[in-house]
């Protein structure tokens, strides 16, 4: 039973904000800022998750990889997108 529960938790963590990005062409963090179909709160949640240590690349902590995106991006790029979102929406 514990193993099944752990698998479910691992799958939920792996999906994380990827559930919000299904069907969207989000290649870079700035694409999240510009996505008209996402609410501001969803944009902020995706970018905050992307910036979290959970999505840091092993042995490359300055890079983040969000599932269902083409590849890793720098934490600086994610933080720049968060600043841009703040600029647009306060």
């Amino acid at each position: 039973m514990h193993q099944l529960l752990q698998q479910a938790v691992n799958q939920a963590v792996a999906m994380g904000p990827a559930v919000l990005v299904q069907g969207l062409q989000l290649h870079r963090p700035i694409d999240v800022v510009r996505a008209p179909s996402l609410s501001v709160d969803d944009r902020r949640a995706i970018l905050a998750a992307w910036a979290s240590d959970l999505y840091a690349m092993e042995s490359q902590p300055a890079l983040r990889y969000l599932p269902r995106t083409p590849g890793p991006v720098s934490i600086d790029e994610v933080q720049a997108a968060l600043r841009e979102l703040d600029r647009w929406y306060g």
Side-chain angles (χ1 to χ4, degrees), residues 23-42:
L24 298 175
Q25 295 291 329
L26 302 176
H27 300 283
R28 312 300 304 179
I30 196 66
D31 296 335
V32 176
V33 175
R34 296 176 180 155
S37 62
L38 293 172
S39 72
V40 174
D41 289 339
D42 286 346

Side-chain angles (χ1 to χ4, degrees), residues 1-88:
M1 182 66 165
H2 175 71
Q3 187 176 13
L4 286 175
L5 182 57
Q6 187 61 49
Q7 286 176 340
V9 168
N10 290 344
Q11 286 176 340
V13 167
M15 286 297 292
V19 170
L20 294 172
V21 302
Q22 287 179 347
L24 298 175
Q25 295 291 329
L26 302 176
H27 300 283
R28 312 300 304 179
I30 196 66
D31 296 335
V32 176
V33 175
R34 296 176 180 155
S37 62
L38 293 172
S39 72
V40 174
D41 289 339
D42 286 346
R43 295 173 204 197
R44 196 172 309 283
I46 292 167
L47 291 171
W50 207 338
S52 77
D53 288 343
L54 179 64
Y55 295 106
M57 299 288 297
E58 190 172 329
S59 301
Q60 297 179 350
L63 296 179
R64 300 296 193 265
Y65 175 68
L66 186 67
R68 298 191 182 189
T69 59
V73 297
S74 74
I75 185 64
D76 294 337
E77 187 175 344
V78 179
Q79 290 173 335
L82 280 164
R83 285 191 301 275
E84 186 70 10
L85 188 65
D86 286 341
R87 241 176 27 94
W88 286 18

